[in-house]
Amino acid sequence: MAERIIFPKAPITEALLDLRVKLPTTITLDILARFHDTVKEQYPNKRERTSWKGGVQIKEGRPEVVEPQGGPDGYFFTSLDGKQVVQARLDGFTFNRLKPYDRWESFREEARKLWKLYVQLVSP
């Protein structure tokens, strides 16, 4: 087996796994906040996540503004060193690894562990 080369300036600046889900209507931000109880030793920093969307539609040749919609929709939980972030949201789950990105296997295993905890909490 060839020895793996670790590049000092690897081109990967971030790896992420993003899963979108449809949760039961009974799942609230308060329930998502409980995710922190299961990960706070490794991800002690918690921030609320807010999402907004809006737009412009052209109808009969005239622009029409789509009213902005949004608000809080989940949480960011960040490791002490700021290099790993897990998002628990009302529309899904994301795991981010910022540089230095080590290897696929460690990323995959951490994402899998966190995903299982999310699923246990929200049952998508």
Side-chain angles (χ1 to χ4, degrees), residues 52-70:
W52 290 93
K53 65 180 175 178
V56 177
Q57 292 181 341
I58 307 295
K59 286 189 177 179
E60 298 176 11
R62 295 181 176 196
E64 193 174 287
V65 175
V66 177
E67 290 296 316
Q69 298 177 358

Side-chain angles (χ1 to χ4, degrees), residues 19-36 38 73-75 77 86-94 113-124:
L19 301 169
R20 300 296 171 120
V21 298
K22 184 167 180 125
L23 296 178
T25 56
T26 55
I27 301 300
T28 63
L29 287 174
D30 290 335
I31 291 171
L32 287 181
R34 291 187 218 151
F35 187 75
H36 195 227
T38 61
D73 68 349
Y75 296 95
F77 305 105
V86 60
Q87 298 177 41
R89 301 183 317 275
L90 293 172
D91 70 346
F93 165 91
T94 303
K113 176 187 84 170
L114 294 166
W115 168 249
K116 286 180 181 180
L117 294 171
Y118 177 84
V119 168
Q120 287 173 1
L121 180 68
V122 300
S123 301

Side-chain angles (χ1 to χ4, degrees), residues 83-109:
K83 296 191 185 314
Q84 293 191 157
V85 181
V86 60
Q87 298 177 41
R89 301 183 317 275
L90 293 172
D91 70 346
F93 165 91
T94 303
F95 175 62
N96 307 66
R97 170 64 197 195
L98 306 175
K99 68 179 180 180
Y101 176 77
D102 181 32
R103 57 195 178 94
W104 162 247
E105 293 81 8
S106 57
F107 175 82
R108 178 191 62 206
E109 292 310 311

Side-chain angles (χ1 to χ4, degrees), residues 4 16 43 61:
R4 193 170 70 112
L16 69 89
Y43 299 88

